[in-house]
Amino acid sequence: RYVQRIQTSFRKDPFYHSAISAANFVRVPRSNSPFQRQITEQLIATQLDHDYDQLNDEGMLYSDDRDDHWRISVACKVDNDHDERSHAERLEKLAIESLEKNPDKVRVRSTGMGPLAASGQRRLFGDLTRGLFTALILITPLIMISLRSFGLGLLAMIPNLFPVVMVFGYYGLLGRRLDSGSILTASVGLGIAIDDTVHFLHYYKMGRRETPGDMPPRAKRKLSVDYAITRCAWPIVTTSLIICCGLFFFSFSDFLPVSNFAIALMLMMIAAAFADLVLLPALIMRPPGRNPKG
């Protein structure tokens, strides 16, 4: 009766149109008197004992020394606003509300691969987000120290974050859900972008040292940027092309996390190359009054 009451509350909710359990296969006659109720309970117990092996094999019913465990399978629609974990929380709330009078202390718990995978993906997303911000906090001062310039260190973080912001912003604009494969590209893309940015700024500083000191600041910056592009543009482009060609074949994988990882990382490689060869020189060549020293 408790299980049937919970199932009824699920079916009344517009989010769920079907719910099935072992209670669907048990006939529960009407019982108006205590004597009829006792007979009914005995009939139900006899029927459950008779069909227990089959129900247990189907994963609908399990009993141990202390409790009986009933599985209720619910069909629900997963979209951008409701994943498996949010549905599990909603179902638990509906079940508890349907058991306001619960003298037997029936407990409700969400199970299954859907809620488990959704909970793991949420945890992974949270951990990678914290890891990304931690990496930025640790990497920024290291770049400042290696380049010996506070301004260039801050400037370097713009093209480093550009691929992550652009790719995930593009996914958000299209309304695409992020899975474990797509989320992993944030840290990988950040590492690749930082490598190219540091190389570009290293050659930019070398170009600054080789230009005459009496040149106008803007002309000096222009020659330094030309020097850096001449030295590292071709390595950045070839590296990006090689990695994209290798990832291209993984984009056809039947395993979606691998396919999504390859596609997202290819987009991030293209965005990183654009940021280092177009965006970063444009930021360096901004008006002299707003240009950082170094």
Side-chain angles (χ1 to χ4, degrees):
R1 288 191 179 92
Y2 286 129
V3 175
Q4 289 177 338
R5 193 185 305 170
I6 294 173
Q7 287 185 234
T8 302
S9 68
F10 290 166
R11 294 194 187 101
K12 288 181 180 179
D13 192 279
F15 278 92
Y16 315 108
H17 54 82
S18 65
I20 188 171
S21 70
N24 294 88
F25 305 97
V26 177
R27 297 178 182 178
V28 183
R30 284 184 167 275
S31 53
N32 299 322
S33 64
F35 179 71
Q36 289 179 330
R37 183 180 179 85
Q38 185 176 3
I39 295 177
T40 299
E41 291 176 354
Q42 186 62 41
L43 290 173
I44 294 173
T46 303
Q47 186 175 353
L48 287 175
D49 288 340
H50 181 268
D51 298 332
Y52 176 81
D53 291 338
Q54 184 176 356
L55 294 173
N56 181 265
D57 292 339
E58 296 293 334
M60 293 184 175
L61 184 62
Y62 170 73
S63 299
D64 54 26
D65 296 336
R66 296 184 300 174
D67 296 310
D68 293 329
H69 304 272
W70 295 65
R71 179 187 296 276
I72 303 176
S73 300
V74 184
C76 57
K77 182 180 180 181
V78 177
D79 52 28
N80 293 329
D81 299 324
H82 302 87
D83 61 3
E84 292 90 342
R85 184 59 197 165
S86 62
H87 279 301
E89 293 171 354
R90 183 184 181 91
L91 289 169
E92 284 187 11
K93 183 179 178 181
L94 290 173
I96 293 173
E97 290 176 352
S98 67
L99 297 173
E100 291 180 357
K101 296 180 180 180
N102 186 9
D104 296 326
K105 297 182 180 180
V106 176
R107 293 174 296 173
V108 180
R109 183 165 56 108
S110 61
T111 60
M113 289 302 299
L116 181 63
S119 180
Q121 186 166 322
R122 285 188 180 185
R123 178 64 63 87
L124 177 64
F125 184 80
D127 290 344
L128 287 175
T129 302
R130 286 189 294 270
L132 182 63
F133 283 106
T134 303
L136 290 175
I137 294 172
L138 295 176
I139 289 171
T140 303
L142 291 177
I143 293 178
M144 293 177 181
I145 294 171
S146 64
L147 296 175
R148 298 180 182 179
S149 172
F150 179 80
L152 285 179
L154 290 179
L155 192 66
M157 301 316 297
I158 297 176
N160 291 338
L161 290 175
F162 178 81
V164 179
V165 173
M166 288 299 296
V167 172
F168 287 153
Y170 173 71
Y171 276 22
L173 186 64
L174 296 181
R176 291 187 56 178
R177 296 183 64 201
L178 295 176
D179 60 7
S180 57
S182 303
I183 296 172
L184 288 171
T185 57
S187 301
V188 178
L190 178 65
I192 295 173
I194 287 176
D195 182 62
D196 292 342
T197 303
V198 170
H199 277 85
F200 185 93
L201 292 177
H202 170 71
Y203 284 112
Y204 170 75
K205 290 203 68 177
M206 289 181 60
R208 289 288 295 250
R209 288 195 295 267
E210 294 183 8
T211 54
D214 57 348
M215 291 184 63
R218 185 173 181 83
K220 192 172 184 178
R221 288 196 303 274
K222 184 178 184 303
L223 287 177
S224 301
V225 168
D226 291 342
Y227 180 88
I229 291 178
T230 303
R231 295 297 187 279
C232 65
W234 181 242
I236 290 176
V237 171
T238 52
T239 302
S240 302
L241 286 175
I242 291 171
I243 294 176
C244 287
C245 290
L247 292 169
F248 176 75
F249 298 98
F250 288 99
S251 64
F252 297 100
S253 173
D254 294 330
F255 188 48
L256 283 180
V258 172
S259 175
N260 292 335
F261 176 84
I263 294 172
L265 193 54
M266 281 193 294
L267 295 175
M268 209 162 286
M269 290 299 304
I270 296 172
F274 174 85
D276 289 321
L277 297 179
V278 178
L279 179 61
L280 183 57
L283 291 173
I284 294 175
M285 290 300 300
R286 56 187 173 174
R290 301 172 58 190
N291 184 60
K293 290 184 179 181

